[in-house]
Amino acid sequence: MSISLKGVSFSYQPGNPILRDINVDIQRGECVLILGRNGAGKSTLLKLLNGILKPTAGEVLVNGRNTASTPTSDLAAHIAVTFQNPGDQIFASSVRKEILFGPTNLKRQNAELLTDKALTTFGLGSKASRHPYDLLPAERKLLTIASAVATDAPFLAFDEPSAGLSHYERESFTNAFEELKTAGRTFIVVTHDLDFFITLATRVYIISSGGIGYAGSADDVLSQRETLRKLGVRIPLSERLLGMLE
Amino acid sequence: MEIRLDGFSFQYVSSQPTVVSEVSVAVASGACCAILGPTGAGKTTLLLAISGALGAQHSSGTGRGEISVGPHVFRPMPDKVLFPQVGLCLQEPQIMISGLRDTVYDEIKFSLENISVDPELHEEQIVSVMERLGIQHLRDRKPFTLSGGELQRLTLATLLVVQPPVLLLDEPGNSLDDDALSRLVRILRQLRGRTTVLFSDNQPDLAILAADSILIMEDGEVISFGDKKSFLKNLGEFKSSLPVRKWQDVIRVLSRSSSLRAKRVKKRFGLA
């Protein structure tokens, strides 16, 4: 099970590529972080993974399926993507219905069970009958993540999943993440929150000027402070000060 | 403009718990106050109430106490949006964009049109705001083609260009990269003395860098309100509400160190 990006380029406007010749391989059980400046193309990269966008050059293979020729509805069984703005994807009239939609649509035998499990894992059980727009923004974010998890897709790609989450939700998010990782799920996470994700990550890519500006293991990345700074990656102030003072 | 809340409480639905309870705080004119706390603490509700959006949109809710914005006293809160005296930037930038303008430049210009200012006379102002936020290269882009972080900068630009005397920002650091965050800190510091700023966050970093006072809330109640120095000295008290562990390490290292660098940091944080 893998995701391969082979020489992938993408342009929203002809002649003005936002991503150029990207080569990345993601294996089952990994947690890959995608970092980079605002507007670097991180979210675009995620949309290429589930076929919402098709590469203008190169190919994206998800479990061997070429996203250019595979319907997005088929790819959804393999990869679930959440958007940065929960409002771009939420449509159901209750939290439970929103989560249930994915596994039902994918004809998962245990759709109800997957839904209940996701509700519990992300602490949304008591809010199952609420309208998604009655939730707080952080809870709506968790709802989109729970919906992706409930699809039972082996690959999960999240766009800034921790933005707006306070440390309560972060704690339950970390626990859920560890549990899903142990169960063999694979994560691709677009984030500015290196501090939070670094302990969960296996590999880190930093997108810069349309290409991969840095690729390395999660264990090494924090020692590359100068590179991180140059490539616009946020390092928490407390971390910076400790580095400076010690 | 001074912002003052006296015993302010609010309940969205009478059968549900009060989301903000008995909040009494005063933020001096031109000061910057950070409102920190976990999800559901009542931070957003407080900002919405001061802006007038809460009173205008949730007429079925129940409020108590009073909110003063400059010389105007509202009981329990303003019932109409106070823009352009008060600018409010919401957490989800997508809903801040008008959808009526085709370029970033025109979206910012639209703010000035809305308050009947001739934008042609203020081109320099629009350009300057774009430069301060680092979005001048996006000038001709369609707002809805921007990335999340770019959109967040644009929504800030649409407010800053109006120069409201009061600025309310709901988790403004979310989705910003390193450069944008540094710019935001710089802007907040430049506004000091001229604009009263209240911003919410669930992390302490931006507050430590840019705020004069820090209000900590949990479950709708004020846990603490004081200056940055007292916040940093009593970090341990807030560990259930905020991720302060690393900051406790920083304070520990600072207290042990007598290096020039440590002295500078202490001075900057008011700990010297």
Side-chain angles (χ1 to χ4, degrees):
Chain A
M1 267 197 200
S2 67
I3 290 182
S4 292
L5 285 85
K6 297 182 177 175
V8 169
S9 298
F10 181 80
S11 313
Y12 285 104
Q13 289 162 333
N16 190 15
I18 181 163
L19 294 172
R20 278 189 294 264
D21 194 25
I22 303 279
N23 292 286
V24 171
D25 273 302
I26 300 165
Q27 301 301 323
R28 186 182 174 175
E30 281 201 90
C31 174
V32 173
L33 304 187
I34 313 281
L35 311 175
R37 291 193 172 89
N38 292 148
K42 306 183 294 296
S43 302
T44 301
L45 186 71
L46 282 202
K47 288 175 188 160
L48 285 163
L49 297 183
N50 71 341
I52 293 180
L53 298 175
K54 314 288 185 194
T56 42
E59 57 184 21
V60 179
L61 302 173
V62 177
N63 282 343
R65 288 159 183 81
N66 190 325
T67 59
S69 52
T70 310
T72 48
S73 51
D74 289 355
L75 289 168
H78 302 271
I79 180 163
V81 174
T82 67
F83 298 132
Q84 194 174 350
N85 172 26
D88 288 347
Q89 66 186 90
I90 289 172
F91 67 95
S93 58
S94 80
V95 167
R96 192 167 202 287
K97 284 180 187 165
E98 180 69 30
I99 299 177
L100 187 61
F101 175 80
T104 307
N105 210 33
L106 290 168
K107 301 193 172 45
R108 302 291 194 210
Q109 295 294 315
N110 50 351
E112 299 278 348
L113 196 69
L114 288 166
T115 302
D116 290 335
K117 180 125 189 2
L119 278 167
T120 312
T121 304
F122 291 95
L124 294 167
S126 62
K127 289 166 181 162
S129 58
R130 297 265 290 272
H131 194 286
Y133 282 94
D134 286 338
L135 300 182
L136 296 162
E139 293 168 335
R140 268 204 294 281
K141 186 77 119 181
L142 286 181
L143 170 58
T144 61
I145 295 164
S147 302
V149 169
T151 64
D152 215 16
F155 290 97
L156 298 167
F158 301 142
D159 199 348
E160 300 205 13
S162 65
L165 302 189
S166 70
H167 75 309
Y168 288 154
E169 292 99 21
R170 282 164 184 253
E171 209 173 293
S172 69
F173 187 90
T174 309
N175 295 339
F177 219 80
E178 293 283 12
E179 191 186 316
L180 293 163
K181 218 173 139 192
T182 310
R185 306 289 277 275
T186 307
F187 299 91
I188 300 112
V189 180
V190 162
T191 186
H192 289 289
D193 203 351
L194 181 62
D195 190 44
F196 176 61
F197 282 104
I198 196 64
T199 52
L200 301 164
T202 51
R203 251 185 318 148
V204 175
Y205 289 96
I206 306 175
I207 300 186
S208 179
S209 306
I212 303 287
Y214 173 87
S217 78
D219 294 336
D220 295 337
V221 73
L222 283 180
S223 62
Q224 310 290 323
R225 282 175 185 275
E226 192 52 23
T227 308
L228 292 174
R229 196 188 59 78
K230 274 188 191 151
L231 297 175
V233 175
R234 240 163 81 170
I235 301 173
L237 176 67
S238 51
E239 194 80 44
R240 260 187 227 187
L241 285 171
L242 283 173
M244 247 171 65
L245 295 167
E246 278 170 349
Chain B
M1 257 182 203
E2 186 197 34
I3 300 289
R4 181 181 284 277
L5 285 85
D6 287 308
F8 180 73
S9 302
F10 188 78
Q11 214 171 354
Y12 283 99
V13 183
S14 59
S15 58
Q16 284 174 9
T18 307
V19 285
V20 169
S21 300
E22 294 288 327
V23 174
S24 295
V25 290
V27 181
S29 183
C32 178
C33 172
I35 308 172
L36 305 182
T39 303
K43 309 183 294 289
T44 303
T45 301
L46 218 53
L47 295 179
L48 289 171
I50 299 165
S51 75
L54 190 66
Q57 289 172 5
H58 291 274
S59 51
S60 58
T62 315
R64 287 193 311 276
E66 63 182 43
I67 292 178
S68 307
V69 179
H72 308 287
V73 182
F74 303 94
R75 292 190 186 88
M77 63 187 145
D79 60 1
K80 64 177 180 44
V81 173
L82 298 179
F83 187 80
Q85 279 71 39
V86 179
L88 169 70
C89 191
L90 297 169
Q91 214 178 111
E92 294 169 304
Q94 293 77 4
I95 49 178
M96 297 287 297
I97 299 300
S98 73
L100 301 169
R101 293 293 183 266
D102 285 337
T103 67
V104 162
Y105 182 88
D106 286 346
E107 181 68 26
I108 302 171
K109 195 168 110 174
F110 186 54
S111 285
L112 293 176
E113 289 167 14
N114 267 326
I115 54 164
S116 307
V117 170
D118 183 354
E120 305 307 329
L121 298 175
H122 294 270
E123 191 182 341
E124 264 178 43
Q125 208 171 312
I126 299 173
V127 171
S128 153
V129 163
M130 287 197 295
E131 281 171 359
R132 284 162 68 197
L133 284 159
I135 55 170
Q136 64 276 33
H137 64 291
L138 304 172
R139 182 186 169 118
D140 298 322
R141 285 270 298 276
K142 286 191 172 71
F144 284 111
T145 67
L146 299 181
S147 77
E150 289 169 340
L151 208 53
Q152 204 156 343
R153 296 197 215 188
L154 170 58
T155 58
L156 276 171
T158 60
L159 286 176
L160 288 172
V161 76
V162 172
Q163 299 181 326
V166 178
L167 196 55
L168 309 173
L169 311 171
D170 197 5
E171 300 196 14
N174 287 353
S175 307
L176 295 185
D177 64 17
D178 199 47
D179 169 65
L181 206 59
S182 307
R183 286 173 185 275
L184 178 62
V185 170
R186 216 172 302 144
I187 287 168
L188 291 175
R189 286 193 185 140
Q190 284 164 354
L191 292 176
R192 192 169 286 155
R194 289 186 285 141
T195 307
T196 313
V197 180
L198 281 86
F199 71 85
S200 70
D201 210 340
N202 52 44
Q203 309 284 319
D205 283 29
L206 189 59
I208 290 170
L209 280 172
D212 303 305
S213 58
I214 296 176
L215 170 68
I216 300 176
M217 294 184 69
E218 187 148 4
D219 293 330
E221 289 177 8
V222 174
I223 302 291
S224 148
F225 181 54
D227 61 17
K228 193 153 60 189
K229 185 177 172 182
S230 69
F231 171 70
L232 287 168
K233 285 199 162 168
N234 300 300
L235 281 173
E237 291 175 19
F238 312 121
K239 63 182 177 206
S240 69
S241 320
L242 293 166
V244 292
R245 192 180 49 78
K246 278 202 179 140
W247 279 104
Q248 287 179 286
D249 293 342
V250 172
I251 299 299
R252 213 169 293 131
V253 173
L254 277 176
S255 65
R256 277 197 228 117
S257 175
S258 54
S259 71
L260 196 61
R261 195 169 259 174
K263 278 183 189 157
R264 266 195 222 128
V265 174
K266 278 190 237 180
K267 197 174 169 196
R268 173 111 178 252
F269 292 160
L271 295 169

